[in-house]
Amino acid sequence: MTCIPPLELLDRVDVGIMVENSEREIVFANKTALDIFGGNRNELLWSGTLAPAWDVIAPNGAPVGPDERPGGQAMATGQPVRRRVLGVQHESAAERVWLLVDAEPITNASGECSCAVLTIRNITSEVAEEELLLDTRKQLRLAVREKAERLAEVQSELEATQARLELAQQELAVKEQLYRAIFEGVQEGLVVHEHDGSIRAANPAAEQILGLTAEQLRGRAAVDPRWRLEDRDGMPLSPERIPSERTLATGEVVRRELLGVQRPNGERAWLRVSTNPIEHGPKRTVVATFSDVSRERRALSALEKSRARFQRLTEAVPGVLFQVAQRPDGTLEGRFVSRHVEEVFGIDAQLARAEPQRLIDMVHPEDRQTARASMERALAQQEAWETVARLDNGRCVRLRAVAELGLEGLVWNGVILDVTKEHALAQQLEHSQRREAMGDLAAGVAHNFNNALAAILPNLEELQAEAEPHARRLAEDALRAARNAADLVRQLMLTTRRETGPREAVDLARVVSDVVLLCRRSFDRRIQIDELVEGVDVAPVLARESELHQVLLNLCINARDAMRSTDDPHLVVSLTRVDGRVVVEVRDNGIGMSPEVQARLGEPFFTTKAPGEGTGLGLATVYK
């Protein structure tokens, strides 16, 4: 005859176990079941399913009648009842207990269902979501009223139940059969470890979970290396950390500890293990219960990997991925913003999600209005929204987003790209094309003007030589004006020509000295002119000396004109060596240029000087 686990073993099991007979009476309950129901054995044992002291409801709050309860259903149909959720409350208890119940029918020798084994788990904390609780409270109020109406009807049955309780207590002699049914009917894996750590007994659920028969499990210890035990982080589990070994050594109770174990087929299973000690004399045995959570573990691992892949994907995208919900009242809710937002906007991703309006506030006011108009057009035409905008931090961004209508309003999914460099290149290209067009125009004008001067200058020179004194002075004035016009033509030609003549090695240091000397001789004596040459004795560069001379002289003249209203004008021309290159710099302490003027720097014929004081070709020549 197979050894039946003692009553003390069942009291150590981490799940509640009860036995209900064919007359709907509770004839056995272990310690865990008593703890679940408040620990009052007298109120629990031998109470029938119709006892008015117990109120049983479904998750939706509807009362659960005797025939609808797991034990009654299992005995009536002869089939197990799995994972029924019930809310149970004793009239002396302040709170309702939510249970996950399994019922296993037990048949006698004649094939009749004589009783049912109930496996009970307390899941009160797992169903405590606010919405379910609110609904449950409503149903509870209805149930209380119904219970009050039924109290009178079941009072007589209570008296009959109390009489049957005395009779049922005599029938506990059959508890060995009940223990066998309980041990084999529990859905949790259950093994008993001897004082030396070896397994003495295992139930069918343990066989199924571990992939070994009870005979194969018997005598095998938890420290056996074939288990290849691991902790939740995948690290090997040392013997002193194994739950059953800890309980054997210290008497410590272990609750729902996660560990990995390898089945004989090589598959790894993840178990949630609880252990309880059984003290008997100088020796100690351990009851271990466990459930297979491999599926949940794999699902969690897959979710973490998916999140990691998504994170890597968002980091690889060269822009800011976002999802923002626009509520009917116009407020925004940031649902997702990738971390590149900090690089583009200078705002932390977490702050951008919490306050997406901050990103809009950084857009230039003029571009903000344009972006809103394009957004409204995209919505009206049901197209993707695209816009380019400038930011307060000097960057330029391109946005592309698609809207979808959700329950809470519009949801925008899109990407923001930093196009600052592309925008600057486009502006440079536009400026270059404009300069080239103006240069072509200037070249044509200079060519025609030069042809006209070719005829005017010889005639004026001949007229000057042959005219009388009064006419000679007029001819000299006309000749001076024509020569000035010729100088202007030369400047125009210098501005527009590309490559004219070969380049040669030119000492830039000597060119700087020549220009500084010329400026000292021709500029106003009030202007202090300094030449700074640091670590450069000779600076040979491949260029045309006349062009270098003209460029430096134009810069100095422009600096001179900018210091006309300066009290202490100071001009500095420096030549330095930086990273193997020579750098020429012209600095002055004049009035400077506004951002609007800087935007047109080098544009031919653009000048801020009064009419007749400048041609707008000096810096255009330098810019070229």
Side-chain angles (χ1 to χ4, degrees):
M1 182 174 180
T2 304
C3 177
I4 304 301
L7 175 61
E8 185 179 4
L9 181 148
L10 296 176
D11 282 342
R12 300 290 182 174
V13 175
D14 196 29
V15 294
I17 300 173
M18 298 194 308
V19 178
E20 182 179 355
N21 64 16
S22 59
E23 297 181 358
R24 309 293 177 82
E25 299 167 338
I26 304 302
V27 298
F28 171 78
N30 69 346
K31 183 178 181 301
T32 303
L34 293 176
D35 291 340
I36 291 174
F37 290 107
N40 192 327
R41 184 181 295 273
N42 292 332
E43 291 180 347
L44 182 61
L45 290 181
W46 298 105
S47 62
T49 57
L50 296 177
W54 298 98
D55 179 28
V56 183
I57 66 172
N60 62 3
V64 179
D67 295 336
E68 300 172 339
R69 298 177 187 177
Q73 284 188 343
M75 287 186 285
T77 63
Q79 298 295 324
V81 176
R82 302 299 186 208
R83 304 183 70 82
R84 280 286 302 279
V85 177
L86 297 175
V88 180
Q89 183 175 19
H90 191 268
E91 63 184 6
S92 62
E95 298 290 340
R96 183 175 298 277
V97 178
W98 286 94
L99 307 176
L100 184 64
V101 182
D102 292 299
E104 187 79 22
I106 305 300
T107 59
N108 54 25
S110 62
E112 298 177 349
C113 292
S114 59
C115 60
V117 178
L118 305 180
T119 305
I120 304 170
R121 301 171 186 80
N122 188 342
I123 61 168
T124 302
S125 61
E126 299 176 17
V127 294
E129 286 89 354
E130 179 179 355
E131 183 176 348
L132 180 58
L133 288 178
L134 291 175
D135 185 62
T136 302
R137 292 191 182 104
K138 294 178 183 178
Q139 299 299 330
L140 285 176
R141 296 189 188 99
L142 296 175
V144 168
R145 288 196 295 270
E146 294 176 0
K147 183 175 69 174
E149 296 172 358
R150 298 202 322 258
L151 277 178
E153 299 175 4
V154 300
Q155 186 64 37
S156 59
E157 293 187 21
L158 176 61
E159 295 173 357
T161 301
Q162 290 174 344
R164 290 194 299 271
L165 177 62
E166 296 176 357
L167 179 62
Q169 289 176 340
Q170 301 173 4
E171 298 177 359
L172 287 179
V174 296
K175 63 181 180 181
E176 289 187 357
Q177 295 180 357
L178 298 178
Y179 293 156
R180 180 191 301 276
I182 292 169
F183 188 72
E184 295 180 355
V186 170
Q187 298 304 303
E188 299 278 337
L190 190 154
V191 297
V192 179
H193 292 270
E194 293 282 13
H195 64 278
D196 61 355
S198 62
I199 296 176
R200 184 179 73 188
N203 71 343
E207 296 180 77
Q208 181 179 1
I209 292 173
L210 297 175
L212 295 169
T213 65
E215 187 63 29
Q216 291 171 325
L217 287 170
R218 191 173 295 113
R220 190 170 180 177
V223 295
D224 192 313
R226 288 176 292 179
W227 294 120
R228 298 185 65 181
L229 299 180
E230 295 179 356
D231 61 17
R232 65 172 55 250
D233 298 322
M235 301 301 295
L237 205 62
S238 57
E240 64 273 9
R241 295 173 58 203
I242 299 174
S244 59
E245 293 295 311
R246 283 162 47 192
T247 303
L248 279 172
T250 66
E252 171 190 359
V253 175
V254 177
R255 294 295 184 215
R256 298 181 61 76
E257 186 163 310
L258 183 67
L259 59 84
V261 60
Q262 181 168 297
R263 296 187 176 113
N265 62 2
E267 182 185 58
R268 178 155 297 278
W270 287 93
L271 310 180
R272 188 74 69 179
V273 181
S274 300
T275 57
N276 285 277
I278 299 177
E279 307 289 348
H280 45 87
K283 296 183 179 180
R284 177 185 294 143
T285 58
V286 173
V287 177
T289 58
F290 47 88
S291 56
D292 188 351
V293 294
S294 303
R295 182 178 300 176
E296 293 85 345
R297 175 82 177 185
R298 287 193 295 269
L300 180 61
S301 176
L303 177 60
E304 292 176 350
K305 290 179 180 179
S306 177
R307 288 176 176 171
R309 286 194 298 269
F310 179 73
Q311 182 67 26
R312 290 193 296 270
L313 178 63
T314 59
E315 291 178 357
V317 173
V320 182
L321 294 176
F322 69 89
Q323 183 183 75
V324 176
Q326 184 179 355
R327 301 188 184 95
D329 61 359
T331 58
L332 302 178
E333 175 193 353
R335 296 183 176 177
F336 175 78
V337 180
S338 64
R339 69 178 187 85
H340 288 301
V341 69
E342 186 170 357
E343 301 173 7
V344 179
F345 288 84
I347 297 177
D348 179 76
Q350 184 175 358
L351 179 59
R353 284 193 295 271
E355 303 179 35
Q357 184 63 38
R358 284 177 172 261
L359 305 182
I360 298 177
D361 293 341
M362 287 187 63
V363 177
H364 191 280
E366 295 179 1
D367 294 351
R368 197 182 309 165
Q369 184 176 2
T370 303
R372 179 173 294 277
S374 65
M375 179 190 70
E376 293 175 352
R377 286 196 302 271
L379 288 174
Q381 299 173 6
Q382 297 183 346
E383 297 177 345
W385 173 31
E386 290 194 41
T387 187
V388 177
R390 295 164 294 171
L391 303 181
D392 291 342
N393 59 9
R395 292 181 179 271
C396 184
V397 297
R398 178 184 296 277
L399 177 145
R400 178 179 173 83
V402 178
E404 58 182 347
L405 186 60
L407 296 177
E408 301 178 359
L410 285 175
V411 178
W412 291 97
N413 300 283
V415 62
I416 301 174
L417 300 176
D418 186 351
V419 294
T420 305
K421 293 182 179 179
E422 292 83 348
H423 185 68
L425 289 174
Q427 287 185 323
Q428 291 178 6
L429 177 61
E430 180 183 356
H431 186 62
S432 176
Q433 291 173 338
R434 186 169 62 249
R435 280 181 46 82
E436 184 176 355
M438 296 183 67
D440 292 342
L441 175 62
V445 172
H447 178 74
N448 293 329
F449 198 12
N450 194 49
N451 290 339
L453 288 175
I456 293 173
L457 284 173
N459 292 331
L460 288 176
E461 290 174 352
E462 183 177 352
L463 178 62
Q464 180 190 22
E466 298 179 0
E468 296 184 0
H470 177 69
R472 187 182 298 116
R473 287 195 297 272
L474 295 177
E476 289 175 354
D477 292 339
L479 185 59
R480 189 180 301 109
R483 287 171 177 168
N484 289 337
D487 290 336
L488 179 58
V489 169
R490 280 193 295 273
Q491 281 189 294
L492 280 172
M493 296 301 293
L494 182 63
T495 301
T496 58
R497 70 172 178 250
R498 305 298 188 262
E499 297 289 337
T500 56
R503 295 182 178 185
E504 57 185 7
V506 179
D507 184 3
L508 187 57
R510 181 176 57 79
V511 173
V512 169
S513 297
D514 291 345
V515 170
V516 170
L517 180 61
L518 178 61
C519 292
R520 285 173 176 167
R521 291 175 177 174
S522 58
F523 286 5
D524 192 330
R525 298 297 181 183
R526 294 187 314 109
I527 301 176
Q528 179 183 345
I529 302 176
D530 292 331
E531 178 184 358
L532 298 180
V533 179
E534 299 179 359
V536 181
D537 295 329
V538 178
V541 295
L542 189 62
R544 301 178 186 84
E545 183 172 354
S546 60
E547 288 185 356
L548 287 179
H549 191 279
Q550 182 68 31
V551 165
L552 282 177
L553 184 59
N554 284 348
L555 285 174
C556 292
I557 292 173
N558 196 74
R560 177 201 65 186
D561 295 341
M563 296 187 293
R564 288 179 176 178
S565 58
T566 304
D567 294 335
D568 185 20
H570 188 193
L571 174 63
V572 178
V573 182
S574 63
L575 179 65
T576 56
R577 190 179 300 276
V578 179
D579 297 332
R581 298 187 301 175
V582 289
V583 177
V584 179
E585 184 178 9
V586 177
R587 299 193 303 271
D588 65 78
N589 60 346
I591 58 175
M593 289 182 285
S594 66
E596 292 76 15
V597 173
Q598 289 184 16
R600 304 185 65 180
L601 178 65
E603 183 178 315
F605 308 114
F606 171 74
T607 179
T608 58
K609 299 174 185 177
E613 294 185 6
T615 63
L617 295 175
L619 290 183
T621 303
V622 174
Y623 189 86
K624 178 176 180 295

